[in-house]
Amino acid sequence: MMDTVTIAAERTVSLAPHEVFALFGTAQGAGWLFDAHCDEVRPGAVVSLRLPLDGLGGHAVDVLGTLARVVPGAVIDIEHTQPWRGRLSLRFTPGGPRETRLQVRAHVPGEGVEWLLHRRGIPLPEPPDDGAVRLGAITNASGSGAVYSMSAELMAELAVDEVNADGGIRGSAVHLVTADDATDAEQAAFEAERMARLGCRAIFVNSTSASFEAVRRAVAGWDVLVVHTVLNEGGGLSPTAVRFGERPNAQLDALVAPAMAAAGARRWFLVGQSYVWSYGAHAAAQRAIARAGGEVAGEDLRPLGTSDFSDTVAHIERSGADLILSSLVGADEVAFERQSHAAGLRASTRTVSLALEEATLAHIGPRAGEGLQTALGYFQDVPVAGNADLLRRYRAAYGVWAPAVTALSEIVYESIHQYARVVHLDPDGPAAAHGRALRAQRAARAPDAIGRRDLLRPRLYVAQAHGSTLRILSEVGRPR
């Protein structure tokens, strides 16, 4: 691990400190207040900002974190996990009559320095074989998916730490190799090849379906198991590929008919991304809507990484739809829901979102997110045995300001634990045998328990956004 580096940036603003502070996180502060965005300037509120790195190549880095300390008019401290774990300190000090010196200081830990160097094309050192069982985890520490992946790496680390505390695998320690694919399939393939060279026996892909497919192809010639650990449209299976998580067929069965009944409406508009996830989800939506007696009034697919949905909002308004299905993910979902709310669509439509979880909702904000519905296999208040203890261990390990545990990160934790049990029973088996055994671990008992849930066909819960939380409305059961 490389040494910690301290970086600093400063800007002078022609306003008094209390005026600058009041604009932090608002649209009026964009461009000179580090493009910061947050709905409330208070401890515990989520924030995104663009950190200038003038001393490290002149690039800016998008940072996602939580406000940990606030002194009105003077201090904002931010703890963040994306794209690396660290702490930022912003200081608002008088610089003259009606003038403020806005300073940001960051202590970038070794993992952050490595991320920055790697992003600039500098290869990371490849450690010698130490006899540990190596596992890889590819997450979205940057790019559009960073919002939903905020706690994924932490949950992977927690699982590995617990496996090692329990004696490892047949007495061998487990070592986690992590990488950021920047929500880009080509980068995911590059990282997967590196992990295979390092001897990783399994790679857990907490990223898009496009990245999963790229990883699967990249390591096809290696004896490596690939496990997809986010909700997905299915398919893409082989003896060495396992896809865990919710499927849109089951989600839509739980959401479509109840939404139509509650709204007294039947005309849907589908909003998604122009890649395989939304293609599969929207095909399932067409079937579910038809079964419920509804119709599709329109569809709009946008490239991953879209931030301006004004044309989509206008298209929805012209369509006469009164129900919206969103298969958007991460930052795209945040942008769409905020812009829909600002345009007044909430007054005339009801929205269900397939990839809405606690981290994404936090960035959408309580006002723009109010009333959104989803159906997933895990929420922080899910009534599953062992969940309260899991959350306690997570906060003890990573602190009170660590990002929320969500359906898209808790599944990484469970997948690693289930894989460790498989390899413990067959330490010398090939990846294909481990994949078959992992698929065979489907829970036969009820109720579920954390660490032993059925990840192939998880029990679903319907939840609705209220304020800053997703409240569980009903338990659907395990799809067939």
Side-chain angles (χ1 to χ4, degrees):
M1 185 68 72
M2 299 182 180
D3 294 335
T4 298
V5 171
T6 299
I7 59 174
E10 180 176 317
R11 289 173 182 171
T12 299
V13 183
S14 296
L15 293 170
H18 72 278
E19 294 175 306
V20 178
F21 187 93
L23 292 177
F24 181 82
T26 69
Q28 294 95 321
W32 51 269
L33 257 174
F34 309 117
D35 288 330
H37 172 80
C38 63
D39 287 321
E40 299 178 86
V41 183
R42 58 165 180 80
V46 298
V47 62
S48 62
L49 58 86
R50 181 153 292 179
L51 178 65
L53 299 178
D54 298 332
L56 289 171
H59 299 289
V61 172
D62 292 323
V63 173
L64 303 179
T66 302
L67 303 186
R69 178 176 175 239
V70 175
V71 178
V75 176
I76 296 176
D77 288 340
I78 300 168
E79 289 192 7
H80 62 89
T81 58
Q82 307 290 61
W84 61 80
R85 274 169 278 176
R87 191 177 182 96
L88 298 175
S89 295
L90 281 75
R91 297 294 182 267
F92 303 75
T93 58
R98 286 189 56 78
E99 194 171 79
T100 299
R101 292 175 58 207
L102 178 59
Q103 300 168 299
V104 60
R105 183 176 296 272
H107 297 286
V108 183
E111 65 182 89
V113 176
E114 289 184 356
W115 184 92
L116 289 164
L117 294 176
H118 194 44
R119 179 54 55 88
R120 296 180 64 191
I122 299 174
L124 296 178
E126 299 193 353
D129 187 358
D130 57 2
V133 177
R134 289 181 176 172
L135 306 179
I138 295 177
T139 67
N140 308 132
S142 61
S144 300
V147 170
Y148 72 70
S149 197
M150 289 180 67
S151 59
E153 186 174 320
L154 300 183
M155 291 299 287
E157 286 187 3
L158 182 62
V160 167
D161 288 345
E162 291 178 355
V163 170
N164 284 332
D166 199 34
I169 296 177
R170 288 286 181 97
S172 295
V174 180
H175 178 74
L176 185 67
V177 179
T178 61
D180 168 28
D181 75 349
T183 325
D184 178 80
E186 185 176 342
Q187 184 66 25
F190 174 81
E191 300 295 353
E193 290 175 356
R194 175 176 176 268
M195 289 175 173
R197 289 197 308 271
L198 288 173
C200 290
R201 300 182 62 176
I203 299 175
F204 298 84
V205 183
N206 193 262
S207 186
T208 64
S209 294
S211 284
F212 165 75
E213 288 294 338
V215 169
R216 192 169 65 89
R217 291 192 298 268
V219 300
W222 301 76
D223 188 30
V224 175
L225 180 66
V226 180
V227 185
H228 199 192
T229 58
V230 294
L231 75 168
N232 59 82
E233 72 288 350
L237 299 179
S238 73
T240 56
V242 177
R243 302 191 86 170
F244 283 151
E246 301 83 352
R247 298 288 194 274
N249 282 330
Q251 292 177 284
L252 292 160
D253 282 345
L255 291 166
V256 167
M260 291 172 61
R266 60 187 298 271
R267 289 173 60 81
W268 288 84
F269 195 98
L270 314 183
V271 182
Q273 321 275 186
S274 54
Y275 80 105
V276 62
W277 152 247
S278 286
Y279 299 153
H282 289 192
Q286 296 270 4
R287 297 189 294 270
I289 290 168
R291 286 195 299 271
E295 63 176 289
V296 176
E299 180 183 30
D300 200 357
L301 299 174
R302 296 285 169 162
L304 194 63
T306 296
S307 59
D308 182 358
F309 286 92
S310 55
D311 288 346
T312 303
V313 170
H315 192 179
I316 294 171
E317 292 173 330
R318 291 193 303 270
S319 75
D322 31 34
L323 296 157
I324 300 172
L325 168 73
S326 172
S327 62
L328 297 167
V329 298
D332 298 49
E333 171 68 353
V334 171
F336 172 71
E337 299 299 351
R338 291 183 69 89
Q339 291 165 35
S340 294
H341 175 260
L345 276 182
R346 288 285 187 276
S348 59
T349 62
R350 177 183 293 264
T351 299
V352 298
S353 172
L354 298 184
L356 178 71
E357 32 64 54
E358 289 90 342
T360 299
L361 177 62
H363 283 271
I364 292 172
R367 289 184 294 276
E370 186 70 25
L372 296 175
Q373 287 193 354
T374 190
L376 294 169
Y378 177 88
F379 296 98
Q380 284 199 135
D381 62 348
V382 72
V384 174
N387 186 49
D389 192 49
L390 170 65
L391 295 176
R392 180 192 58 77
R393 297 195 306 273
Y394 175 76
R395 295 296 172 192
Y398 301 112
V400 66
W401 303 122
V405 177
T406 75
L408 279 65
S409 64
E410 192 274 345
I411 196 170
V412 185
Y413 169 89
E414 295 223 35
S415 298
I416 290 174
H417 268 293
Q418 292 193 20
Y419 174 79
R421 289 197 291 271
V422 162
V423 179
H424 186 77
L425 295 174
D426 183 19
D428 299 319
H434 292 158
R436 287 191 293 269
L438 198 56
R439 282 189 285 267
Q441 279 202 125
R442 289 189 58 194
R445 66 185 69 84
D448 292 336
I450 293 297
R452 295 185 178 275
R453 293 190 304 128
D454 181 354
L455 303 181
L456 283 170
R457 292 179 176 85
R459 186 184 306 273
L460 295 183
Y461 301 86
V462 175
Q464 180 168 303
H466 180 70
S468 58
T469 64
L470 281 164
R471 292 183 177 176
I472 294 176
L473 302 179
S474 62
E475 179 181 330
V476 180
R478 184 176 293 118
R480 292 173 296 188

